[in-house]
Amino acid sequence: MLWKIRTELADRPGALAELAARCGAEDINILSLEVFTAETGAVDELVVSTSVGWTADDLTALAAEAGCLRTTVRLCQADVLSDGPTRYLRAVLRLLDDPMSVDEELGNLQGFDEYTPAEWARADVLVEIAGRLAERGEVIDGPRPGSGVPELRTATVEDAGAVVAMHERCSYETRTRRYHVPMAKLTVRTARHLSAPAGGVSIVACVGDAVIGMATAAPWDELGSATMEVAVLVEDGWQRQGLGLRLLRQVIAEARALGADRAVCVVQPDNHAMLRTLERLRMRSRVVRDGDNLMATVALSAESLSHAVDRPPVQYRRTRATPSPRPQSARTAGQPAREHPLPALSALEPLPGGGGAAGRDGADRGGRP
């Protein structure tokens, strides 16, 4: 029987030798070994061969006797013994035929629910490859500027199909700006949640039956019941037309009508288009550094910014405004927030590469706050 074992070894010399010795004493053959570096120490993944009768609980107990912690054991097949780089390259070959199978490929390659930092990096690359391959497929034409005047209205779950179609027309960069992670495909189920978020509201910009832009506001419970996170996405062909600013203004107005006293946007530092769009709101606002991102808070009442900087740290992406499979680390406790008034955002110089430039009117180019 073949088993895959993932375990954290004791942080001392000879820990792996002790585990190997216990396996040898039980006539368990270690067929392969991969070591991952994690924040808590070394995480080892072994493929072992046992005689009939061994169970996952037996192997977990053996690892514990060797001083190992947080051990996970699963049955596996002989294909896990092939060379690791070769398995990943073959996965890329399969993605050429079906980019949407990336989740299945990741499950087959990595096999455990919790990823080490190295596996997160591998997963990010595969998802990016799948996204770029999907973009090279059939081009779905949508309305272009000049083909109609966008109309803004409140979204409903009936807009889910049109929202999915808009996402498919958006570029990889535009979707990544919106969701902070590579997002190869939006499912209809997720689009329904985005179109009618619980306790929140979404505004869509439409030309005929096509959705070309969307802004969503949803409660961010960790920051209090009166705080809503807002996010904006504009289809590539309609960016730099002022549409992002119109969507942002209307969704903030709707959030205030629902009782929110603060609107919060989490923005990538190089997303200068979205930062300028926030500045063009001409509303009392502040921006603080929050981990790898900037958190822009827009005041909707006289008291709403009184505690925005000294808030307790929370884990990002626990709101229905921003569905994501991968959590983002929050600012560590005790780390002071760095405040930037929005009128001074012009001092934030673009990073090399110039991503996220705004148009003459400062409108959002579709970046995700």
Side-chain angles (χ1 to χ4, degrees):
M1 302 175 67
L2 293 180
W3 302 86
K4 182 182 285 189
I5 303 173
R6 177 168 291 189
T7 188
E8 292 185 17
L9 273 68
D11 188 14
R12 55 179 170 78
L16 180 58
E18 183 175 345
L19 176 60
R22 289 184 178 271
C23 288
E26 297 292 344
D27 200 26
I28 296 174
N29 190 18
I30 299 177
L31 301 177
S32 72
L33 170 67
E34 186 171 5
V35 180
F36 300 98
T37 301
E39 294 179 357
T40 56
V43 177
D44 284 29
E45 185 173 293
L46 306 88
V47 176
V48 303
S49 174
T50 69
S51 58
V52 176
W54 280 84
T55 66
D57 290 340
D58 294 335
L59 292 171
T60 301
L62 183 147
E65 292 171 0
C68 300
L69 301 173
R70 287 176 282 278
T71 302
T72 305
V73 181
R74 292 184 180 176
L75 281 168
C76 62
Q77 303 298 322
D79 58 356
V80 301
L81 297 174
S82 60
D83 175 68
T86 300
R87 288 190 292 119
Y88 274 86
L89 289 172
R90 291 195 179 280
V92 173
L93 286 175
R94 289 189 290 270
L95 290 177
L96 289 172
D97 296 326
D98 183 11
M100 297 300 104
S101 67
V102 62
D103 288 339
E104 180 182 352
E105 294 296 339
L106 287 172
N108 294 334
L109 287 168
Q110 303 183 194
F112 288 95
D113 295 332
E114 296 186 5
Y115 288 0
T116 64
E119 288 176 311
W120 272 123
R122 295 174 186 175
D124 280 345
V125 171
L126 277 182
V127 172
E128 182 174 350
I129 290 172
R132 295 191 180 190
L133 289 172
E135 286 183 2
R136 295 180 180 181
E138 180 181 359
V139 177
I140 303 174
D141 291 329
R144 293 289 182 262
S147 60
V149 178
E151 296 183 0
L152 273 58
R153 61 170 174 80
T154 302
T156 71
V157 293
E158 301 301 324
D159 293 307
V163 169
V164 169
M166 176 190 65
H167 278 72
E168 292 178 349
R169 295 192 299 268
C170 288
S171 67
Y172 168 85
E173 178 183 359
T174 291
R175 294 195 304 267
T176 302
R177 287 251 186 237
R178 165 61 175 85
Y179 296 102
H180 288 212
V181 294
M183 193 166 187
K185 185 177 179 63
L186 184 74
T187 65
V188 173
R189 179 179 179 181
T190 300
R192 290 172 66 89
H193 286 302
L194 286 173
S195 300
V201 64
S202 285
I203 303 298
V204 288
C206 303
V207 174
D209 294 331
V211 170
I212 59 169
M214 184 177 194
T216 300
W220 192 339
D221 294 334
E222 291 88 349
L223 291 182
S225 59
T227 301
M228 286 201 183
E229 183 190 4
V230 298
V232 178
L233 176 68
V234 175
E235 185 178 330
D236 294 63
W238 288 87
Q239 294 170 12
R240 306 180 71 175
Q241 305 292 318
L243 187 56
L245 181 59
R246 290 178 59 195
L247 284 165
L248 186 59
R249 281 176 174 161
Q250 185 158 332
V251 82
I252 285 179
E254 295 291 341
R256 175 187 279 150
L258 289 173
D261 74 348
R262 285 189 296 163
V264 175
C265 297
V266 178
V267 188
Q268 297 164 355
D270 62 344
N271 191 354
H272 301 281
M274 190 63 212
L275 291 170
R276 293 186 184 111
T277 300
L278 287 163
E279 184 176 348
R280 286 181 60 83
L281 284 173
R282 300 294 186 259
M283 299 178 69
R284 192 163 61 93
S285 310
R286 69 168 47 141
V287 176
V288 297
R289 179 78 59 178
D290 191 70
D292 294 333
N293 298 308
L294 300 175
M295 179 176 286
T297 303
V298 179
L300 304 184
S301 70
E303 298 81 17
S304 59
L305 287 184
S306 60
H307 59 288
V309 174
D310 297 325
R311 66 176 181 82
V314 298
Q315 193 170 33
Y316 181 47
R317 278 196 202 102
R318 293 184 179 273
T319 163
R320 299 180 75 154
T322 310
S324 172
R326 178 180 174 185
Q328 193 86 347
S329 60
R331 170 164 54 91
T332 57
Q335 178 183 349
R338 296 172 56 191
E339 182 177 348
H340 308 277
L342 274 173
L345 284 176
S346 57
L348 295 175
E349 293 298 329
L351 297 179
R360 291 188 301 272
D361 59 359
D364 176 19
R365 291 179 55 199
R368 185 248 178 265

